[in-house]
Structure formats: structure tokens, C-alpha cells
Amino acid sequence: MKLFQPRTLHKRIMLAIALLQLVVVGLFAIYLLIQQVGNEITSRQVLGHKMIGITAPAVSHLIRHDPAGISGYLGAMLGDRAVAGITVKDRDGKTLFLQRKESGDLHPVAGWFKAAEPHPKISAELRSEHGSLGLMTIELSNDLLNEKIRGLLNDVSYLFMLLLGVDLIAIQLLVKSVMAPLTPLAAMAREVSQGNWEKTVLTTEDGASDEVRNLSDAFIESAKTMKRQIRELEKTRAQLAENELKLRNLVDNMQEVLLEVDQNGLVTFLNPAWEALTGYAAETTLHRPFAEFLTQPRHKAYFEAGRLEHIPLTELQLELRAHDGRPVWMQMSTSLQRDDTGAVSGLISTLEDITETLHLQELQHQHEQDLYRLTITDPLTGVYNRRHFDELLENLLHMNLHKGHPLALVIVDIDGFKFINDTYGHPVGDEVLRTVATSLRNNKHQGGAVARIAGDEFALLLQNVNEMDAERIGHMIHEDLNRIVIPLPVGQLTVQTSIGIAIAPVHGKLPQDLVRAADVALYHAKKSGRNRVDTLTRERGEAIMDIFSQGFEVRNAIIAGLILPFMQPIVDLKTRKIFAYEVLTRMRRGDAFVPADDFIPIAEDLGLIREMDLFVIGQALKMIPKNVHLFVNISLSSFYAPEFAQQLRDLLNSPVARGRSITLEFTERETVEMSREFIQLFDEIRAGSCNVALDDFGVGYSTYSYLRVLRPEFVKIDGSFVLKLKENQEDVKIVEQIRELAHIIGAHTIAEHIEDEETIAMLVKMGVDYGQGYFFSKPVNVDDKHWLTADLA
């Protein structure tokens, strides 16, 4: 019985312990195998994404700059054992590169894992700053993974066999020894189960055999190994939980909406940003069609079942309807999800709220349009401005002449516009400009551009019309403009215009030649009585161009310093002493000097008077001693140039003008708007110790209004009233009236064109203060120092 019992116990112990160790080691081996294979599969996917993330930008660069280099670059990449094939397609689906190499089937162990694809592929869109370039796909090789799995199987098998062999040896030794009671082993197992891993229960005193002790030691070692593995497993589980928590916090705190949609277009996941941006609760949105929240049909079509693969992956802008009904614009960036067969199984997208951005972009676009419109149009009339018209003229002239087509330039000038402004005020003048511009723009006869090129001048371009057609259209436009009636508080105002027409290439092939020809035609129309249409003929053009050539002579004379100051004394009529000198203008022509009356009107007509005034004043201030009281002439029409006022200020504040007596003598051949800036300039002139004299009083425009507003220190009686003072009693009364008006405003009077002693006596009797004329002295060149005489009595 005793002999049988150890033998039976041997079998029982060996069977029990063998089965136990087999289960433990087997489970451990399977667990280790699963962990390692799973890690290898994950590592392969990560490796594939890293490889395509690194190579995709390089391939994009090669597509744009060196398509031939793609084969060399990707061919070298195929040498990597992890790569089984590479495919590159352009954005039209055309294959740019395709190479594959033999790759074994996936190891059966890897097939246990859902993430392990039989032929895994990683794709990435190739992009540049101009958009999509195509698609790159890397097919990963199974060889390296299979090799690692086989190595893992061998390692696990060796470990399993090693551990099992050690256990069996321990069992054999235990059986061969004197069997100790199993109670101590049970006690030891209880201690181990309670966590007392280090405690040895079986001792020599307990009577345990060496076999039992060895078995207990092996059991404890196995338990310790299991404990280490369990701790590692718990640590891994804790790390996964921590990472999951971080990921959830990140998703929950995203400003963008994180959206997941299945293949049927139903919402399967949303983060809290959805409710913050749209007002819909995530719980009530889940499992509903995403298209329900979109407003535009073309956007809804993307999310129909089976159409997800057609959705743009980047920069798709969707209009959603928020819970409160307001529109919300979001920009969608999408990643399509595919199943094992490659079919689209859903998508994951981020939605960024761009409502405010689009609104700002719309405002910016509108602002840019407004700025562009302001740069090319006249703000008052809405037609093109001069600068843009010059560009249009140059472009259309070049285009039409290149095609052999004529081009007509029509310049329209509003007759008496300055009178309209001065008489009816600027609101009426502005209305006239707007009405004329509207009529020109809406006129069915004009087929080109309309522009306001000056204060009261407009220009039109007529394409592909000959001289006869251009003149006919010009008369039609003139008739249409003459029908314009501007209602006034009392009565109405009709508009009259003068029109000049020039045709290219008849009158010129360059823009400046065509404009000059049209200006000449307009000049002739105005000189011929205004309110008419004039087309430049060869004979008339030659005659009028002579006037323009005189203008060139005047300009060249200014440049060459041939405009010279002459001096004529202004005399106190009672004491016969020189009070001041008037600076007169002469132009040198050879050895002769041309009087001002022969070129001043031309200078005014051609816009040269401002430059001439400033030049003559500057010369006089440099050449005449500071102790001489100077009367210097300025044409009021110079103030049409906006920069003239500042140039005059600079001249009067210069060192040559500072500290001397200067009277600015204004000639009023044309009216000038007496704006606030105009009056302010005169206040500044007086503040700078300069006086003001009003010239040619009695024959100019709006003289009384100038007298009232400007309140000059001197009023010069026009010489036409002085020359026949002895024969014409009416002139006597006019002179007396002018002197009386001047006395009322506190101004001194100066009589012009005095030629005899008897006239002086009459003027003194009427109370006129000063005089000038040939009786005292003719104008003398400033270079002749004999003009500087203290007394003419």
C-alpha cells in the first residue's frame, strides 16, 4: 500500500503540476505573443505614415519642378524591405509612377488582428500652394512583419519549452524525494494568494522534502514572474486610461467641431464645440442625417448615402442653420474612412466657424471695390476721372489703330459754368455737372468711355467712326445736352456746351496729339461764339495751332528767363512824389520786348499764367531793393490750380520778400470762387504785412462782390475811364463813384493811363489819391537803374 501510494501520488502530482504550469506558461506565452504582434502591426502602420509623411512633400516638389526625378527617388525607396509597392497619380488620375515587388501573404497569427490588413496601403494627397497635385500610395510589405512574427513564435516556444522543462524537472525531483505532506504546499499557496510573494512557508523544521521545497521555490519564482507581468499590464492599462483621458479632454476643449459620419451620412460622433457653435445638443444630433443641418442643396448632396467619396477633403465651406435660425458658415477638413475592401465607410472631419471671417472678407472686398472705384472715377459725377481716362485713351487708341479702325475723341465744355457757380451757387453747379455726366453716360450715340477731365470739361471716346460720323454724333450729343433744364427755386436754367472733336489717325496717332487736336477744335468753338460743335480741319488747325505755338513760346521764355520785370511808378497826385512801383511783365523777343497784352491772354487761355506770375514776382523781389514799395500783379485765375496758394505763401515768406512793402495787385479777367480757403488766403496775406489792390476796377466780373469781400487797401481805376475824362462826363461820374466806393471801405484810389496835366488836376479835384501813366514814366526795364527816381515833380 505504501509502495503504491507514492507511485499514485507521483502521477497525481506530476499531472496536476504539469497541467497547472502548462496553463500558466501557455497563457503567459499567448499574452506575450499578442502584445508583441500587436505592437509590430501598430509599428508598421506608424512607419508607413511616417514614410509617406516624409516623402509626400518631396514628391510634390518633384512633380512641380522635376517630374523625371520621381522614378529615381521612389525607386531607391523601394529598396526598403518595409515597402512592397509605390503608386503616384496626378490629380486627373493618371499614373505617374507604379512599381511593386513580391511580398508574401500575411502570417496567420497577424490575421487575428482587425488592424492587420492583407495588403496594407497608406495614401496621402500631394498638394502645393495652388491646390491638389495628385495622390501617392505606399503598399507595405508583409515580409518583415511575418519574419518578426516567426521570430516571436520561436522565442515564445523556446520560453514555453524552457519553463515547462524546468517545471517538469522540479516535479521529477519532487517525486523522487520523500513526499512531504501537501498541507505545507497549500499553506504556501494561500500565502502567495494573499500577496506574500517573498515568504517561504516550507522549512527544514517543517519536515518538507527537498523536492517539495524546490517545488515551492519554483512556484514562488513563477508567481513573482506573473506578478511582474501583471504589474506591467496594470501600468500599461493605466497609461492607456491616462492617454484616453487626455485625448477626451483635448477633443472636448477643441474650438473646432469634431464630426464623425457613417457611410449613410448619419452623425456618429460630435464633440461639445458643436453645441457651442450651433445650439444643437450633441445627444439630439447623433444618428441623424448631417444633411438636415445644411441649407444649400449642393452641400446636402455630399452627405447622401454612397456619395461621401465625392466630398472635397479640404477647404469645403458649408452653410449650416443654427438652432436659432441664423446661418453659420464652417470650413470642413475631411478624412475618409475605408473598410477592408477599400470602400468608404464614413468620414472624420473638423468644422471651423468662419462666419466672421467671411463677413470680414466680404467687407474687405467691398472696401477694395470702393477704393478702386474712387481711384478711377470722379466722386461728384460718377464718370471716369482724368487719370483713368488717359489710360483708356492710350489703350483704346493703340487697339483701334492696330486693327485699322479710327477713334474719335470728343471734348465737351460747359459754357459759362463759372458764371453758373457764382450766380446760383455751387449746389446748382454740381447738379449741372451731374446732369451733364448722366446725359453723356446714357447717350445712345456714344459707344466708349466718358470722363470728367477738368472742372467743367468732359471727354468721350467713339470707336470705329469716321470724320463724318463723329461730327454727326457730336451734333446729336450737343442737341441732347442743350435739352437739359435744371429747375431753380425761381425759374429754370438751360445748359449750353461747346464741343471739340478730333479723329485718329487723321489728327494724330499719339494720345497727346489727339488731345491737342481736340483742344484746338474746342478752343475754336469757344472763340467762335460758344454753344457749337467744331471738328478740326487742316486750315483751321494750322491757324489755331499758331496760338498754341505762341503758348510754347511763352513757356520757353519762362524756362529761358526771357520773361522780365519792368517798372512803372505810382505817384502821389498831390505831392508828385513816387509812392510805389508797379511790376509789369514783358517778354524778350530778340532785341524787342513784347508787351503783356500780347501774350498774357494766351498764357491765361493755355494755363501758363500761374507759372508766369510766380516767376515775375520772384525775379522782381530778387532784383529790386527792399526799400522800394512794389505792386506785383497776380491773375485771379491762377487760384484754379490747388497748389498755387501754397506756392504764393512760400514766395511771400521767402527771405527776399520778408521785411519789405508789397502790395498784391489782382487782375480779374475771369471770376474766381470766393471760397473760405480763398478768403483765408487773403487774411494770411494781410497778416504777413502785404496789402491788396484790386486792378481794372469797373470793367471786370463781379467787381462789387470782390470789393465787398476782399476789402482791398487800393482800388485801381481802369484807364478806359481816365483817358477820356476831359471829354466824357459819364466817365467823370464813374470815376467819382469808384472813388466814393473806395472811400466807404477805407481804400485808396489809383488812376491808370494818365497822359496830361489837365487830367491830373481833375483827378485831384475828385479826391483820387494816386496815379500812373505815360505822363509820369513809361515802363522801364528793371536792369536800367535810372528808373529809381525819388521825385517826379
Side-chain angles (χ1 to χ4, degrees):
M1 185 68 180
K2 291 182 179 180
L3 293 174
F4 178 74
Q5 189 173 0
R7 189 166 47 250
T8 304
L9 183 59
H10 176 195
K11 292 180 181 180
R12 290 179 181 179
I13 292 174
M14 287 189 66
L15 179 61
I17 297 177
L19 290 175
L20 176 62
Q21 292 302 317
L22 181 64
V23 172
V24 172
V25 176
L27 290 175
F28 170 72
I30 292 173
Y31 168 77
L32 182 61
L33 181 63
I34 291 174
Q35 286 290 98
Q36 294 300 322
V37 173
N39 290 340
E40 290 297 333
I41 292 173
T42 302
S43 298
R44 183 176 67 166
Q45 292 176 338
V46 171
L47 176 61
H49 283 285
K50 287 184 177 180
M51 291 175 65
I52 201 166
I54 293 173
T55 57
V59 174
S60 300
H61 177 78
L62 290 173
I63 289 176
R64 288 183 285 122
H65 301 287
D66 185 19
I70 296 177
S71 298
Y73 178 74
L74 295 181
M77 186 177 170
L78 279 169
D80 196 318
R81 293 183 61 197
V83 178
I86 300 177
T87 303
V88 178
K89 295 185 178 180
D90 62 15
R91 57 187 174 191
D92 298 323
K94 179 181 178 181
T95 301
L96 301 179
F97 179 85
L98 173 60
Q99 285 191 16
R100 290 189 177 88
K101 63 184 182 182
E102 290 296 325
S103 175
D105 295 331
L106 192 64
H107 196 281
V109 173
W112 300 347
F113 298 84
K114 292 184 178 180
E117 300 176 1
H119 298 285
K121 295 180 181 179
I122 307 297
S123 299
E125 186 180 20
L126 302 177
R127 298 192 57 80
S128 70
E129 60 274 14
H130 302 295
S132 177
L133 297 175
L135 186 70
M136 176 179 177
T137 302
I138 296 179
E139 181 178 348
L140 300 179
S141 173
N142 294 322
D143 296 342
L144 190 60
L145 179 61
N146 292 341
E147 182 179 331
K148 290 184 178 181
I149 291 176
R150 286 192 292 269
L152 287 174
L153 287 173
N154 290 336
D155 293 341
V156 171
S157 299
Y158 293 149
L159 179 62
F160 176 81
M161 295 301 295
L162 178 62
L163 292 177
L164 188 59
V166 171
D167 289 342
L168 291 176
I169 291 172
I171 294 172
Q172 185 67 21
L173 293 175
L174 178 62
V175 172
K176 288 181 178 181
S177 65
V178 178
M179 296 300 298
L182 293 179
T183 303
L185 283 177
M188 183 184 68
R190 283 194 299 271
E191 291 294 335
V192 171
S193 65
Q194 294 174 5
N196 298 325
W197 301 89
E198 306 295 334
K199 186 172 182 180
T200 301
V201 200
L202 298 177
T203 63
T204 306
E205 289 73 20
D206 296 329
S209 64
D210 292 337
E211 292 83 355
V212 174
R213 191 177 305 279
N214 290 335
L215 180 60
S216 67
D217 291 340
F219 179 78
I220 291 174
E221 288 299 324
S222 299
K224 289 180 179 180
T225 302
M226 289 182 64
K227 180 181 180 181
R228 285 195 299 270
Q229 295 297 330
I230 292 172
R231 286 178 178 175
E232 289 295 329
L233 183 60
E234 290 176 348
K235 183 178 179 181
T236 302
R237 187 186 300 114
Q239 186 65 42
L240 289 174
E242 182 180 356
N243 291 340
E244 182 182 0
L245 180 61
K246 289 180 179 179
L247 180 60
R248 181 169 296 279
N249 290 335
L250 178 63
V251 170
D252 291 345
N253 293 302
M254 285 176 60
Q255 297 296 321
E256 298 84 5
V257 175
L258 185 60
L259 168 71
E260 186 176 5
V261 176
D262 66 11
Q263 67 270 22
N264 296 317
L266 302 179
V267 179
T268 57
F269 177 81
L270 283 168
N271 64 340
W274 169 260
E275 184 173 356
L277 293 178
T278 66
Y280 294 104
E283 294 78 8
T284 59
T285 306
L286 293 177
H287 310 300
R288 292 172 60 184
F290 185 66
E292 289 185 3
F293 304 94
L294 303 177
T295 59
Q296 299 189 20
R298 62 188 180 91
H299 293 163
K300 294 181 178 182
Y302 285 131
F303 296 91
E304 295 178 358
R307 291 185 55 83
L308 291 183
E309 60 184 6
H310 301 293
I311 193 169
L313 299 181
T314 58
E315 298 182 357
L316 173 63
Q317 295 179 353
L318 302 175
E319 184 181 12
L320 287 81
R321 182 181 60 256
H323 189 266
D324 56 6
R326 59 185 172 84
V328 179
W329 280 92
M330 292 189 175
Q331 183 162 294
M332 186 174 189
S333 297
T334 302
S335 176
L336 295 177
Q337 305 300 301
R338 300 180 182 273
D339 57 20
D340 295 341
T341 64
V344 175
S345 60
L347 59 82
I348 296 178
S349 301
T350 57
L351 300 173
E352 179 183 0
D353 185 4
I354 58 170
T355 306
E356 186 65 23
T357 301
L358 292 180
H359 178 65
L360 292 176
Q361 289 176 351
E362 182 179 356
L363 292 178
Q364 181 182 2
H365 179 66
Q366 183 63 41
H367 180 63
E368 290 173 352
Q369 288 184 328
D370 293 342
L371 287 178
Y372 177 71
R373 186 167 56 253
L374 289 174
T375 60
I376 66 172
T377 59
D378 173 57
L380 176 63
T381 61
V383 298
Y384 292 132
N385 57 24
R386 178 59 183 266
R387 186 182 69 177
H388 188 64
F389 182 78
D390 290 341
E391 296 176 359
L392 285 176
L393 174 59
E394 182 175 1
N395 294 334
L396 291 178
L397 183 60
H398 174 77
M399 180 181 68
N400 281 271
L401 293 183
H402 181 72
K403 295 179 179 179
H405 298 163
L407 178 72
L409 171 62
V410 180
I411 297 182
V412 180
D413 182 88
I414 302 175
D415 294 334
F417 182 72
K418 298 180 184 65
F419 175 80
I420 293 173
N421 263 344
D422 293 338
T423 305
Y424 303 107
H426 284 286
V428 174
D430 292 345
E431 182 61 26
V432 170
L433 292 173
R434 283 191 292 265
T435 305
V436 169
T438 301
S439 177
L440 293 174
R441 188 170 50 211
N442 298 335
N443 197 300
K444 64 182 180 180
H445 309 300
Q446 70 89 8
V450 181
R452 182 186 178 194
I453 59 175
D456 58 348
E457 281 190 8
F458 295 85
L460 300 87
L461 292 175
L462 307 177
Q463 301 188 61
N464 200 19
V465 294
N466 56 31
E467 295 181 64
M468 184 179 299
D469 291 336
E471 188 169 0
R472 176 179 56 81
I473 294 174
H475 280 90
M476 291 180 178
I477 292 174
H478 183 257
E479 292 174 3
D480 291 341
L481 294 176
N482 280 355
R483 296 190 188 99
I484 294 177
V485 176
I486 307 296
L488 300 173
V490 178
Q492 59 187 20
L493 172 66
T494 57
V495 176
Q496 293 183 344
T497 58
S498 297
I499 297 178
I501 303 174
I503 297 95
V506 177
H507 299 129
K509 296 181 179 180
L510 298 176
Q512 57 268 30
D513 295 336
L514 195 62
V515 171
R516 186 182 298 114
D519 281 337
V520 169
L522 178 63
Y523 179 85
H524 184 267
K526 296 178 75 68
K527 290 298 181 182
S528 300
R530 303 178 185 269
N531 195 29
R532 63 187 63 217
V533 180
D534 200 295
T535 303
L536 188 66
T537 63
R538 182 176 300 276
E539 297 78 10
R540 185 185 305 155
E542 292 176 353
I544 299 177
M545 284 304 291
D546 181 61
I547 296 175
F548 281 79
S549 67
Q550 294 180 46
F552 296 136
E553 180 187 14
V554 174
R555 181 177 295 278
N556 292 332
I558 296 174
I559 296 174
L562 300 178
I563 302 295
L564 302 174
F566 272 57
M567 310 297 294
Q568 187 176 35
I570 300 174
V571 180
D572 187 321
L573 295 181
K574 292 181 180 179
T575 65
R576 303 296 178 92
K577 292 185 177 181
I578 295 177
F579 166 69
Y581 283 89
E582 180 180 1
V583 180
L584 301 174
T585 304
R586 297 290 184 268
M587 181 175 67
R588 184 188 293 276
R589 183 184 291 162
D591 295 331
F593 292 96
V594 180
D597 290 342
D598 289 350
F599 61 87
I600 289 294
I602 296 174
E604 289 181 333
D605 285 345
L606 300 180
L608 300 174
I609 190 65
R610 172 184 61 85
E611 192 174 351
M612 182 183 299
D613 285 346
L614 294 175
F615 178 79
V616 172
I617 295 172
Q619 290 295 102
L621 293 177
K622 292 177 183 177
M623 302 173 69
I624 300 173
K626 281 195 173 184
N627 61 344
V628 177
H629 185 176
L630 296 181
F631 276 61
V632 293
N633 288 275
I634 293 180
S635 174
L636 284 177
S637 61
S638 296
F639 288 92
Y640 283 124
E643 68 274 12
F644 176 76
Q646 186 57 48
Q647 291 173 332
L648 180 60
R649 291 187 185 97
D650 295 340
L651 184 59
L652 295 177
N653 292 326
S654 64
V656 295
R658 198 175 298 120
R660 68 189 309 161
S661 298
I662 300 175
T663 297
L664 299 182
E665 187 173 321
F666 291 92
T667 303
E668 43 152 359
R669 291 183 176 87
E670 294 187 15
T671 59
V672 171
E673 173 198 356
M674 289 185 288
S675 63
R676 179 179 301 175
E677 292 77 10
F678 185 77
I679 302 303
Q680 182 180 356
L681 175 61
F682 277 85
D683 293 339
E684 293 179 12
I685 290 173
R686 287 192 172 91
S689 301
C690 288
N691 295 321
V692 174
L694 194 60
D695 194 17
D696 297 335
F697 190 84
V699 296
Y701 299 90
S702 303
T703 358
Y704 293 100
S705 63
Y706 282 124
L707 194 66
R708 183 183 68 253
V709 175
L710 298 182
R711 304 189 70 83
E713 283 76 19
F714 299 95
V715 175
K716 300 189 76 172
I717 303 171
D718 187 75
S720 62
F721 302 122
V722 178
L723 283 174
K724 298 181 180 181
L725 199 61
K726 297 178 292 183
E727 296 87 10
N728 194 332
Q729 190 62 31
E730 291 180 355
D731 289 343
V732 173
K733 293 181 180 180
I734 290 174
V735 171
E736 288 178 343
Q737 184 181 20
I738 293 174
R739 191 213 65 82
E740 183 65 26
L741 288 173
H743 177 74
I744 292 174
I745 65 170
H748 299 285
T749 50
I750 303 173
E752 298 178 311
H753 295 183
I754 298 176
E755 295 186 352
D756 54 54
E757 188 69 47
E758 187 177 353
T759 300
I760 295 176
M762 294 181 67
L763 291 170
V764 170
K765 184 177 180 180
M766 286 186 284
V768 176
D769 302 301
Y770 304 101
Q772 67 182 110
Y774 283 4
F775 179 79
F776 300 112
S777 173
K778 292 183 178 181
V780 180
N781 192 337
V782 73
D783 290 331
D784 185 358
K785 300 302 180 183
H786 296 293
W787 62 265
L788 193 57
T789 305
D791 194 347
L792 294 176

